[in-house]
Amino acid sequence: MKILFVSDVSIQEVIGGAERVLFEQTTRLAERGHLVHILTRRLPRHSSDTSVIRGVTEWHYHVSTQNAVSFWISTLKNAGELFERLQMENHYDSINFHQPFSAYAVIRSRLSKEIRKTYTCHSLSFEEYRSRNALPPFGAKRIFFFLQIALRRWIEKRVLSKSARIIVLSSYTAEKLVRNYAAPRKKIAIVPGGIDLVRFAPPRDKNAAQELLGLPPGKFVMLTVRNLVSRMGLENLLLAMVEVLKKCPDSLLVIGGTGPLEERLKTLAQDLKINDHLLFKGFIPEDELPDYYRAADIFVLPTVDLEGFGLVTLEALASGTPVLGTPVGGTNEILKRFDSDFLFKSPVPEDMAELMIKICSLYKKNPEKQNMDSVHCRRFAQEHYSWEANVTATEEILAGSSRSISKTKAFMSGE
């Protein structure tokens, strides 16, 4: 097949879950012999209008960042013109949208009408905007805030309506599409994310893994890797640490990630007097992530909202590191399938602290139990999640096959 992926992110640098899914799917499809292109906006880190990454050609259109209006007009014009040029040259068999803005420019072109189109929904665009931006108290900025939400809803609904199938990573996202956009259930295919089981693997020696990262010896290491935004629940995690340290004083929380809450979180840590038990590592590059998973005794996922799937959960499990997560979105689905004993009762600090203390105390008293759980984590990841399975299902959907429907039903039933 000749496949065009249309996205608002780039695979040139994998900095989050959306980039990871796009990278794995496009590069693996290229390895299977398909012609794979990506159309996306030119980002500041791009040095040219095109690049080739592991057999995938990524095309970049220019946008104006002067203001919201110029950004939107330049997206429609430049993405649309680039698509038409590429379509005239390549005659694509299938288009897979990954975010709505570039996608909307494409569906406006008459050249897209006869091509099979699918939409991979990582999260709802208007919800992401609402979670990342504080509601202005009054005036024109408040009006603009609501206009942004309305515009994003309208654009995404239009793109969804033009797509033959909608791919999601979890039933949580599927239900959101039905509830917010009245998306027909028969159009939705649930294709869980995967893991690179070679990159993410258990350590031979956890102490050596911790030493490699320069972590202080003798600590029970808790890791979280998150964008530092409100929906990630990191304030709750810091509040929970106050109680954890009363029972497990040798605990160390390592926080990876950057975002607008960074200074607020550091100030909160100072106010709570837990600074000596926290390490803010900032952005952790992709090639270093496996080392952090291997060095951790547990991974903590404190999300309070919009956890569409949670690839970090799978990466930690594949590394033999148990994940303690809130019962939110895709995390709930993965950990219930794995072992519901690792789910917090709720995202509130008291419930998080209770389970963190329980697991920490258990592993300190019984290292063999920790070893057994580590083996269980790895086996679960190997048996249920792989990028090969994800890409095979995606490949069939892009080609118009109905075989993937049985896979979707099997996943939803827990088979």
Side-chain angles (χ1 to χ4, degrees), residues 76-320:
L76 288 180
K77 179 179 182 297
N78 297 337
E81 289 178 355
L82 177 58
F83 164 70
E84 293 191 344
R85 177 168 69 83
L86 293 175
Q87 173 59 13
M88 293 291 289
E89 293 173 357
N90 298 286
H91 304 288
Y92 298 109
D93 302 305
S94 184
I95 300 175
N96 183 214
F97 302 123
H98 271 246
Q99 285 85 28
F101 291 123
S102 301
Y104 182 68
V106 170
I107 66 168
R108 293 175 73 249
S109 170
R110 62 180 179 79
L111 297 185
S112 73
K113 297 190 186 307
E114 302 304 318
I115 309 172
R116 177 176 174 81
K117 295 176 283 294
T118 59
Y119 188 94
T120 296
C121 183
H122 302 272
S123 61
L124 275 58
S125 176
F126 78 92
E127 289 188 335
E128 283 286 347
Y129 177 83
R130 191 167 58 195
S131 74
R132 292 175 182 270
N133 297 274
L135 175 64
F138 51 80
K141 289 184 177 180
R142 189 180 181 94
I143 294 172
F144 181 76
F145 178 88
F146 286 113
L147 284 175
Q148 280 274 18
I149 289 176
L151 179 63
R152 288 163 185 267
R153 286 185 67 114
W154 185 84
I155 289 170
E156 192 160 49
K157 187 170 185 178
R158 288 286 296 167
V159 176
L160 288 165
S161 71
K162 297 296 183 181
S163 302
R165 296 294 299 276
I166 305 166
I167 301 171
V168 296
L169 276 68
S170 66
S171 60
Y172 168 77
T173 305
E175 291 304 316
K176 279 186 170 290
L177 288 169
V178 173
R179 188 165 59 251
N180 286 279
Y181 295 128
R185 292 183 186 274
K186 65 181 180 180
K187 282 180 65 170
I188 302 173
I190 301 174
V191 182
I195 332 157
D196 186 331
L197 293 165
V198 176
R199 284 185 67 228
F200 299 101
R204 294 180 179 177
D205 184 333
K206 189 172 291 291
N207 290 330
Q210 293 175 356
E211 184 179 348
L212 177 68
L213 296 176
L215 300 178
K219 298 291 186 181
F220 186 84
V221 179
M222 304 176 178
L223 171 68
T224 191
V225 181
R226 305 270 75 194
N227 290 321
L228 307 187
V229 296
S230 295
R231 74 175 182 87
M232 299 301 183
L234 292 162
E235 297 100 326
N236 289 345
L237 179 55
L238 296 192
L239 292 169
M241 280 298 294
V242 175
E243 297 305 313
V244 170
L245 290 168
K246 292 177 182 178
K247 301 289 186 179
C248 305
D250 59 348
S251 297
L252 175 70
L253 174 62
V254 179
I255 299 176
T258 59
L261 288 187
E262 185 169 350
E263 291 307 314
R264 188 194 305 179
L265 290 169
K266 290 180 177 178
T267 299
L268 178 59
Q270 289 177 346
D271 294 342
L272 296 173
K273 296 180 172 58
I274 58 174
N275 266 359
D276 292 343
H277 299 271
L278 259 66
L279 281 179
F280 286 91
K281 299 300 294 186
F283 175 71
I284 300 175
E286 277 287 305
D287 58 351
E288 295 179 18
L289 260 181
D291 292 328
Y292 279 87
Y293 288 126
R294 284 190 278 266
D297 291 291
I298 61 171
F299 187 92
V300 185
L301 203 67
T303 316
V304 296
D305 196 18
L306 305 183
E307 191 67 55
F309 185 67
L311 290 176
V312 290
T313 300
L314 298 186
E315 291 169 353
L317 292 174
S319 305

